[in-house]
Amino acid sequence: MAALVPGAEDPRSPLVELSHVEKHFGELHVLKDINLTVGKGEVLVVVGPSGSGKSTMCRTINRLETIDSGVIRIDGRPLPQEGKELASLRAEVGMVFQSFNLFANKSILDNVTLAPIKVRHMDRKEAEDLAMELLARVGVDSQAAKMPSQLSGGQQQRVAIARALAMHPKVMLFDEPTSALDPEMVNEVLDVMVELAHEGMTMICVTHEMGFARKVANRVVFMADGRILEQNTPEEFFEHPQTDRAKDFLSKILTH
Ligand SMILES: Nc1ncnc2c1ncn2[C@@H]1O[C@H](COP(=O)(O)OP(=O)(O)OP(=O)(O)O)[C@@H](O)[C@H]1O
Ligand SMILES: [Mg+2]
């Protein structure tokens, strides 16, 4: 598509684009002809049965996994296989996982300042100011001097979000960020995610929190057996699933 103004970025161009992506783990065909575009500011919720490839798809987007064929573009640029350029593109994609993978031997503050200092070459003072601002935003600035093990799961997950935001990512990936949390801590993490969505962050969220999906998702993507079977607005997807797989999946999760 041609740019509206020559040389300028096309505001309609997708921020994340997966085109004919294929991925195997040995004999196992885990991603089958994945085509997905995510516009700037869009919030996607990805759902589907266990083993359908949701995590693998997320991990390919910041190249924690390689792909066999197809193309993944971030802001129009194809993800390179390796090297310096990959590191800088990867820094544009923030990721928060199910298990709060904070560095256990570093303080909360150091967890957040580490990448800006090492990768962005920010000076320590500037990185600490930024970290404190982000920790305040997710409501854990009073915990800055503590070690991760001294925080609750919900607090650790909010630190993980602050840590990802410190790199000023263009898109945030969330892979079941609340599924390892005690129930009373789920909302404090979802609230931060809702706020991010309202601020216009582009987000791809693997989550079975249907309330979150209905509240903030622009689109629900349903995966099964390595394929995207449906993409629709939350209302349409939940009220009128098209495929038997989606109907079956919804009947299982909505009855619990
Ligand atoms: N590193 C790996 N090596 C081999 N097989 C893998 C690897 N990672 C995932 N798989 C397999 O790939 C398939 C897709 O896994 P993936 O983790 O992407 O599914 P998922 O949709 O995220 O499932 P869940 O809802 O359980 O998290 C599964 O069959 C899984 O066992
Ligand atoms: Mg998964």
Side-chain angles (χ1 to χ4, degrees):
M1 200 188 296
L4 296 178
V5 179
E9 216 179 289
D10 185 341
R12 295 169 305 182
S13 68
L15 187 53
V16 179
E17 186 179 13
L18 285 79
S19 174
H20 301 297
V21 169
E22 301 277 347
K23 168 82 182 168
H24 291 76
F25 284 119
E27 296 285 287
L28 194 65
H29 197 175
V30 279
L31 296 179
K32 301 172 183 165
D33 195 29
I34 298 290
N35 294 284
L36 182 70
T37 57
V38 188
K40 287 190 179 74
E42 226 188 331
V43 177
L44 245 67
V45 162
V46 181
V47 298
S50 181
S52 56
K54 305 179 299 292
S55 295
T56 305
M57 183 176 79
C58 281
R59 292 167 60 84
T60 63
I61 294 174
N62 69 346
R63 266 293 193 272
L64 289 169
E65 295 287 357
T66 56
I67 57 176
D68 299 338
S69 58
V71 186
I72 300 176
R73 292 189 182 83
I74 308 286
D75 224 355
R77 287 185 293 165
L79 272 178
Q81 286 296 335
E82 55 196 18
K84 249 195 161 145
E85 209 191 334
L86 175 59
S88 78
L89 266 183
R90 189 181 271 157
E92 296 181 345
V93 181
M95 184 146 181
V96 176
F97 302 86
Q98 175 175 1
S99 51
F100 347 107
N101 54 339
L102 298 177
F103 304 113
N105 58 345
K106 292 193 184 303
S107 72
I108 295 306
L109 184 66
D110 288 345
N111 261 277
V112 183
T113 58
L114 188 74
I117 291 172
K118 288 253 191 270
V119 181
R120 297 265 197 245
H121 307 295
M122 208 180 260
D123 73 48
R124 179 166 295 278
K125 174 76 175 71
E126 194 187 347
E128 287 181 354
D129 288 348
L130 170 67
M132 288 310 294
E133 184 191 315
L134 290 168
L135 288 170
R137 224 170 108 187
V138 300
V140 289
D141 47 327
S142 61
Q143 314 292 322
K146 291 189 183 167
M147 301 302 280
S149 63
Q150 296 174 287
L151 269 60
S152 72
Q155 289 173 325
Q156 289 187 51
Q157 203 58 316
R158 286 183 282 150
V159 173
I161 294 173
R163 183 176 63 174
L165 292 175
M167 295 297 281
H168 296 305
K170 289 182 176 167
V171 53
M172 286 281 289
L173 308 177
F174 292 88
D175 190 1
E176 304 208 34
T178 60
S179 58
L181 295 176
D182 291 336
E184 70 269 24
M185 290 167 194
V186 168
N187 280 336
E188 65 190 46
V189 173
L190 290 177
D191 286 347
V192 171
M193 292 170 65
V194 169
E195 208 176 295
L196 269 182
H198 287 157
E199 286 170 12
M201 177 61 79
T202 307
M203 296 164 58
I204 300 175
C205 313
V206 179
T207 179
H208 291 152
E209 292 292 336
M210 296 304 145
F212 173 81
R214 284 178 185 273
K215 191 147 74 174
V216 297
N218 300 103
R219 210 173 351 139
V220 175
V221 172
F222 174 71
M223 289 183 77
D225 295 329
R227 289 186 197 281
I228 293 176
L229 291 191
E230 298 193 24
Q231 298 191 47
N232 224 327
T233 60
E235 295 74 26
E236 276 300 307
F237 177 72
F238 291 121
E239 304 308 328
H240 307 288
Q242 303 294 310
T243 59
D244 289 343
R245 293 301 304 268
K247 286 175 195 165
D248 181 54
F249 172 77
L250 284 173
S251 73
K252 282 181 182 134
I253 58 162
L254 296 179
T255 52
H256 289 294

